[in-house]
């Protein structure tokens, strides 16, 4: 346990394009956990060049920590042979689903973080979280309620966001989840609207511990008050207004996923976590990073314009309808690649 060893095992996966953003995330985790006895950062990196590796090594060494770059060639070859789908042209998104094949068996707990997260506090409490016999711990997805039935979950089941995952590696190995995921992709369904996230929710169904929202605090909760969000979005199962309020008082991890088509590293963005990202960006080796405009299409440009002029309640209703349609169309498109060789 962390209270005994004071050791943190962090796990990231990203490609060369995401190196500056992952670097800022890693920096925030190291900065806020300087008290820890040992921290090891494991990186499954796709096509990361030598300059980027050296910059990451130098940053981590300044905190007197260790970073390990895991060779991904064998894993990518295996994923190709399984017909594992790519996400935006990269295999990086699904690599975390096979981490038991690349991590030493002596590692018991691993905290996976997306490259677009910012650690805001010490991670001790999260690492000491009792998983109550479950294999992984995840926070609920703020926007995923409308497509649960489309991927085989019931409407009253939890649906989790995969940006922050606390793994009990012994349990993961004992349940042989990597093999179960491979078999699911091969024989049942090999494509989903949210590839890795949907796979985890479906394959690990019933074996996921719900983490507090503060460990994966998502952008919409920073923009819309809890009463309005719950009234408009009407999730069947979700955090209560009181639970969200408590989490907001002690946010541990910001999840800076795309908001109105933009990330906080885009120029002129309206992302609610822009200031949090910038705070650590300026401390990091990427402090001279020049933000550029987001490469968004016509619809997202309209969405941003509506966000600026519409009252929040109207915008949220419009967004809810548009997002549900997007998920419906994404699910329909992904089903074109569905396989079911058991039938």
């Amino acid at each position: 346990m962390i209270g005994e060893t004071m050791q943190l095992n962090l796990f990231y996966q990203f490609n060369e394009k995401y190196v500056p953003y992952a670097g800022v995330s890693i920096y925030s985790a190291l900065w806020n956990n300087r008290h820890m006895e040992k921290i090891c950062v494991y990186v499954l990196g796709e096509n990361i060049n030598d300059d980027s590796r050296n910059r990451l090594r130098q940053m981590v060494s300044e905190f007197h920590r260790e970073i390990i770059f895991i060779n991904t060639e064998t894993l990518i070859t295996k994923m190709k042979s399984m017909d594992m789908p790519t996400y935006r042209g990269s295999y990086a998104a699904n690599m975390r689903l096979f981490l038991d094949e690349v991590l030493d068996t002596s590692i018991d707990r691993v905290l996976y973080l997306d490259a677009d997260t910012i650690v805001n506090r010490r991670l001790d409490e999260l690492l000491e979280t009792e998983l109550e016999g479950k294999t992984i711990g995840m926070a609920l997805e703020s926007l995923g309620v409308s497509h649960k039935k489309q991927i085989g979950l019931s409407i009253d089941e939890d649906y989790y966001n995969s940006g922050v995952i606390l793994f009990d590696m012994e349990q993961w190995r004992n349940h042989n989840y990597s093999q179960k995921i491979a078999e699911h992709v091969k024989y049942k369904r090999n494509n989903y609207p949210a590839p890795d996230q949907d796979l985890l929710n479906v394959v690990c169904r019933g074996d996921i511990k719900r983490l507090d929202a503060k460990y994966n605090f998502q952008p919409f909760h920073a923009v819309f008050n809890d009463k309005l969000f719950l009234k408009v979005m009407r999730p069947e199962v979700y955090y209560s207004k009181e639970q969200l309020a408590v989490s907001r008082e002690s946010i541990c991890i910001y999840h800076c996923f795309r908001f109105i088509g933009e990330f906080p590293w885009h120029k002129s963005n309206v992302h609610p976590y822009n200031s949090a990202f910038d705070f650590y960006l300026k401390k990091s080796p990427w402090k001279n990073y020049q933000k550029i405009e987001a490469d968004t299409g016509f619809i997202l440009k309209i969405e941003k314009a509506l966000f600026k002029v519409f009252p929040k309640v109207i915008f949220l209703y419009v967004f809810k309808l548009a997002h549900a349609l997007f998920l419906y169309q994404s699910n329909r498109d992904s089903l074109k690649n569905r396989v079911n060789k058991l039938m």
Side-chain angles (χ1 to χ4, degrees), residues 92-131:
N94 282 318
M95 287 182 186
R96 83 193 84 174
L97 306 181
F98 302 93
L99 78 171
D100 62 320
E101 298 190 17
V102 295
L103 295 180
D104 191 273
T105 55
S106 63
I107 298 173
D108 52 0
R109 278 201 172 189
V110 173
L111 179 61
Y112 167 81
L113 296 178
D114 265 358
D116 59 357
T117 56
I118 295 293
V119 177
N120 190 52
R121 292 173 180 266
R122 291 186 174 194
L123 291 168
D124 305 59
E125 185 180 346
L126 171 58
L127 298 174
E128 291 175 337
T129 297
E130 177 55 58
L131 294 181

Side-chain angles (χ1 to χ4, degrees), residues 157-270:
E157 285 185 86
D158 284 352
Y159 178 80
Y160 300 92
N161 182 280
S162 62
V164 177
I165 310 172
L166 181 61
F167 284 90
D168 181 322
M169 289 307 302
E170 183 177 3
Q171 286 271 85
W172 184 269
R173 294 187 186 96
N174 288 342
H175 285 292
N176 205 15
Y177 271 125
S178 292
Q179 182 62 32
K180 288 180 179 178
I181 288 169
E183 291 175 354
H184 184 92
V185 169
K186 184 175 182 179
Y187 296 115
K188 294 185 179 180
R189 181 170 174 174
N190 68 349
N191 213 335
Y192 284 96
D196 63 299
Q197 184 165 289
D198 288 342
L199 266 173
L200 276 173
N201 275 277
V202 172
V203 178
C204 299
R205 185 179 188 177
D207 198 19
I208 305 173
K209 161 73 175 177
R210 182 196 288 196
L211 299 179
D212 292 342
K214 67 180 179 180
Y215 296 124
N216 185 340
F217 209 74
Q218 297 163 42
F220 270 65
H221 295 311
V223 176
F224 303 98
N225 69 61
D226 301 330
K227 182 178 180 180
L228 174 62
F229 179 86
L230 294 172
K231 176 183 178 181
V232 175
M233 302 303 286
R234 300 180 67 84
E236 283 76 9
V237 286
Y238 200 61
Y239 304 107
S240 68
K241 183 174 63 175
E242 292 73 23
Q243 289 172 326
L244 288 171
V246 170
S247 284
R248 183 176 286 100
E249 292 299 315
S250 56
I251 299 172
C252 183
I253 301 173
Y254 294 102
H255 192 175
C256 308
F257 63 63
R258 191 184 295 270
F259 178 78
I260 317 298
E262 298 172 334
F263 290 102
W265 50 80
H266 286 136
K267 184 178 180 181
S268 305
N269 72 80
V270 293

Side-chain angles (χ1 to χ4, degrees), residues 150-161:
Q150 299 170 18
I151 63 172
L153 301 178
S154 64
I155 198 67
D156 58 352
E157 285 185 86
D158 284 352
Y159 178 80
Y160 300 92
N161 182 280

Side-chain angles (χ1 to χ4, degrees), residues 3 28 120 132 177 249 287 298:
S28 72
N120 190 52
E132 301 173 356
Y177 271 125
E249 292 299 315
K287 59 186 176 182
F298 176 74

